Amino acid sequence: MNQADLTDQDPIFRLKGNMLAVTVLELARNDLARLDRQLADKVAKAPSFFNDTPVLLGLEQLTAADAELDLGALLDICRRHGLLALGARASRPGDIQAADELGLPLLPSASGRERPVAEPQTPEPAEEPVEEAAPAEPPLQPTLVITRPVRGGQQIYARGGDLVVLSTVSPGAELLADGNIHVYGPLRGRVLAGASGNAEARIFCQQLTAELLSIAGRYKVAEDLRRSPQWGKPVHVSLSGDVLNITRL
Amino acid sequence: MAQIIVVTSGKGGVGKTTSSAAIGTGLALRGHKTVIVDFDVGLRNLDLIMGCERRVVYDFINVIHNEATLSQALIKDKRLDNLYVLAASQTRDKEALNKEGVARVIEELKKDFEYIICDSPAGIETGAHLAMYFADIAIVVTNPEVSSVRDSDRILGLLASKSQRAEKGEEPIKEHLLLTRYNPERVARGEMLSVDDVEEILSIGLLGVIPESQAVLKASNQGVPVILDDQSDAGQAYSDAVDRLLGKEVKHRFLEVQKKGLLQRLFGGRE
């Protein structure tokens, strides 16, 4: 790759989209005393988990029937038990206002509603929970079609779209796509579909002999894949829940 | 129009220099004015294989740094009038090579020669990169074992992405596979990858299969390119490879286990 010229014009930062799986502390009721007790129980059972673990506060289950939430006290409880609140998701206007006042970032709620408080925020979807929130719709990119062999050490990334390889993918080569990946030659390299977190992405290949398969960060390496009866066969790979499903085509 | 051929592999010790010497000599034998350039600066061997080590005065690096002219540095082969060697420097290292210098020397050689064979060093660093950068044709030398095949694959990737042709978006470098140190007995015993295995993994055209042969070591030690030993299996295999490089259709030999019969010995293997 070319060496970057470190001139004045060169940006020293990049804004990058990123998908992180994050734990959501979802509050069913506004009962902080009980939360405190129950958290203490949890900490006793799994102390290693509560070690400055980042969490997202889910306040959407609270209804108008619940009393007004003391967000400051909730944050205190979290901090005491080793949980660091990254932000909150809330639906009640009171909670939203409280979060704003405390400077706690508000994230779009799981149902996709945007936060009604207008405040400029950097487009950093890092804290967006993978399992619930629908990722922002990426603009449709044309499919990247590769007709020559992809050799070891080469990396091909179809940003924001699908990748189709009509030739061989050698061991040590890496295919990445935000969408689906299709390989019509022998597949011996690494394949990562849904590279920025799209769990709906799939992998299709004519001959499964890959070093690694991954969809939205869930992966299987050759050591596991070789034990599959589908090894060497034309297959299609999809993600259901946390499990990579390998199905014969 | 001069053709620039890089003989490369990624991995060391697979037979790049032996192949460069044999193919360069083979082209000259067929009447093409040829120069073989040693890019392995600091670990020069080509002069030994070509048997001209005692006549090296100036080298490739001297020409690049304008310390000598090309005609001073070119060493004429004793056996063939139309064959020349440009030796590498033994005292410098690969950093002494630079793209502008190499480009200038190659441009100059193109005026005079039909074929310029660039004998690449092992690795994927400066020396190997510059040896392949200006190539029109690549001969990827591979041994039938997994690490060599993997390295060749890596080199093929670099040929397709880091060469001048790739950078300018021109027609890609023509890639040929030369399988060396092939031992059909060991393939039959499952100790070595077969031609088909290697061809399948690398998916490029097969230029030739050079059998593992005592003749190669003997030729290297004597400083005579093995292709000149036309009694040897390796010499004949290189000869076939050169014919194929020039566009002739020649059937591959030495791929099967040979019965050690006297008649077959006399008639030079199968067919």
Side-chain angles (χ1 to χ4, degrees):
Chain A
M1 291 297 120
N2 293 327
Q3 297 280 319
D5 291 322
L6 290 171
T7 58
D8 270 3
Q9 284 81 27
D10 278 330
I12 55 159
F13 71 96
R14 285 188 296 170
L15 290 175
K16 293 166 71 178
N18 201 343
M19 297 298 266
L20 288 175
V22 67
T23 311
V24 179
L25 177 75
E26 198 170 72
L27 222 50
R29 259 169 315 211
N30 181 7
D31 187 344
L32 293 184
R34 215 157 121 197
L35 174 72
D36 195 12
R37 268 200 316 279
Q38 290 179 356
L39 268 179
D41 280 356
K42 281 262 190 232
V43 175
K45 279 184 204 149
S48 62
F49 180 78
F50 295 91
N51 183 17
D52 289 349
T53 306
V55 294
L56 195 65
L57 301 178
L59 310 176
E60 300 149 291
Q61 301 298 319
L62 301 179
T63 59
D66 284 297
E68 195 167 318
L69 180 74
D70 185 349
L71 195 57
L74 174 60
L75 288 176
D76 277 343
I77 292 170
C78 288
R79 221 171 291 133
R80 258 207 320 281
H81 295 293
L83 298 174
L84 293 177
L86 295 171
R89 286 202 309 235
S91 51
R92 302 191 305 179
D95 297 338
I96 291 168
Q97 202 190 337
D100 261 355
E101 281 166 9
L102 286 168
L104 190 66
L106 273 163
L107 288 145
S109 65
S111 56
R113 271 175 300 173
E114 288 298 326
R115 175 169 77 107
V117 182
E119 185 190 90
Q121 208 180 6
T122 45
E124 181 66 53
E127 290 98 32
E128 207 166 314
V130 171
E131 69 274 275
E132 283 168 280
E137 200 68 45
L140 188 64
Q141 296 291 325
T143 298
L144 180 60
V145 181
I146 305 289
T147 53
R148 288 176 56 86
V150 186
R151 304 289 182 182
Q154 288 186 311
Q155 192 185 50
I156 294 182
Y157 180 25
R159 189 180 298 276
D162 289 1
L163 174 61
V164 175
V165 179
L166 298 173
S167 190
T168 322
V169 180
S170 295
E174 198 164 84
L175 304 181
L176 293 140
D178 290 334
N180 307 307
I181 297 179
H182 304 251
V183 181
Y184 294 97
L187 168 56
R188 304 191 182 92
R190 301 155 68 86
V191 184
L192 298 94
S196 48
N198 177 12
E200 297 302 311
R202 294 179 181 218
I203 298 168
F204 304 86
C205 66
Q206 288 290 341
Q207 183 191 319
L208 172 65
T209 42
E211 288 177 321
L212 177 137
L213 293 178
S214 162
I215 295 176
R218 316 280 173 210
Y219 63 89
K220 273 190 179 166
V221 292
E223 191 135 308
D224 308 321
L225 294 170
R226 270 172 198 278
R227 289 193 216 111
S228 156
Q230 314 297 355
W231 181 255
K233 306 282 190 324
V235 299
H236 130 234
V237 188
S238 59
L239 188 64
S240 57
D242 265 0
V243 185
L244 281 186
N245 281 326
I246 302 176
T247 328
R248 185 72 183 267
L249 273 177
Chain B
M1 182 65 190
Q3 294 274 298
I4 303 168
I5 303 178
V6 61
V7 179
T8 184
S9 71
K11 196 172 183 323
V14 295
K16 284 182 295 294
T17 302
T18 299
S19 299
S20 299
I23 289 167
T25 306
L27 289 167
L29 276 172
R30 283 157 184 74
H32 301 286
K33 194 172 182 192
T34 303
V35 59
I36 314 175
V37 185
D38 192 350
F39 275 77
D40 205 347
V41 181
L43 294 168
R44 79 171 197 220
N45 287 140
L46 180 69
D47 52 329
L48 285 172
I49 308 283
M50 292 297 294
C52 62
E53 72 277 12
R54 293 182 202 146
R55 292 186 288 137
V56 179
V57 182
Y58 295 109
D59 57 48
F60 190 20
I61 297 299
N62 293 137
V63 182
I64 284 179
H65 293 173
N66 290 312
E67 294 154 2
T69 65
L70 195 53
S71 53
Q72 283 176 308
L74 282 172
I75 306 164
K76 192 170 172 201
D77 188 76
K78 273 187 178 160
R79 296 158 292 242
L80 295 164
D81 279 346
N82 53 357
L83 179 61
Y84 289 79
V85 170
L86 189 52
S89 165
Q90 183 71 328
T91 52
R92 309 292 292 270
D93 62 28
K94 310 283 189 286
E95 305 309 314
L97 291 166
N98 60 66
K99 199 178 269 179
E100 296 69 37
V102 173
R104 185 170 50 78
V105 174
I106 288 204
E107 271 317 306
E108 221 170 311
L109 288 172
K110 271 166 102 173
K111 290 182 207 144
D112 239 5
F113 290 92
E114 281 177 76
Y115 288 98
I116 302 163
I117 313 275
C118 303
D119 179 21
S120 171
I124 53 174
E125 289 77 24
T126 318
H129 178 236
L130 289 175
M132 72 165 64
Y133 188 75
F134 299 99
D136 303 306
I137 298 171
I139 296 175
V140 179
V141 183
T142 306
N143 285 171
E145 47 107 7
V146 284
S147 59
S148 173
V149 172
R150 176 186 277 190
D151 290 358
S152 295
D153 188 68
R154 180 89 167 94
I155 285 290
L156 284 164
L158 296 177
L159 284 167
S161 59
K162 295 283 164 69
S163 61
Q164 180 174 262
R165 280 173 175 268
E167 283 177 7
K168 286 190 174 169
E170 295 170 356
E171 197 185 322
I173 294 175
K174 218 177 279 168
E175 300 156 341
H176 297 287
L177 172 64
L178 186 67
L179 201 56
T180 54
R181 300 228 167 118
Y182 195 70
N183 184 332
E185 282 93 18
R186 297 189 65 191
V187 173
R189 289 202 298 270
E191 296 169 6
M192 217 179 230
L193 295 176
S194 72
V195 181
D196 294 341
D197 291 339
V198 180
E199 260 192 297
E200 223 243 354
I201 298 172
L202 295 179
S203 53
I204 57 170
L206 183 65
L207 183 68
V209 178
I210 313 299
E212 195 167 41
S213 168
Q214 296 299 320
V216 173
L217 185 63
K218 194 177 106 194
S220 300
N221 287 335
Q222 291 178 342
V224 182
V226 70
I227 199 166
L228 293 172
D229 181 358
D230 53 13
Q231 298 303 303
S232 70
D233 47 0
Q236 292 171 19
Y238 272 119
S239 240
D240 290 357
V242 173
D243 284 336
R244 285 187 206 105
L245 189 63
L246 293 171
K248 265 199 214 166
E249 291 247 356
V250 187
K251 202 170 174 334
H252 287 281
R253 299 192 271 175
F254 316 111
L255 302 186
E256 311 282 331
V257 179
Q258 295 181 41
K259 304 260 178 348
K260 304 273 176 176
L262 177 67
L263 280 174
Q264 276 177 321
R265 282 269 166 121
L266 283 175
F267 292 113
R270 292 162 57 90
E271 295 171 343

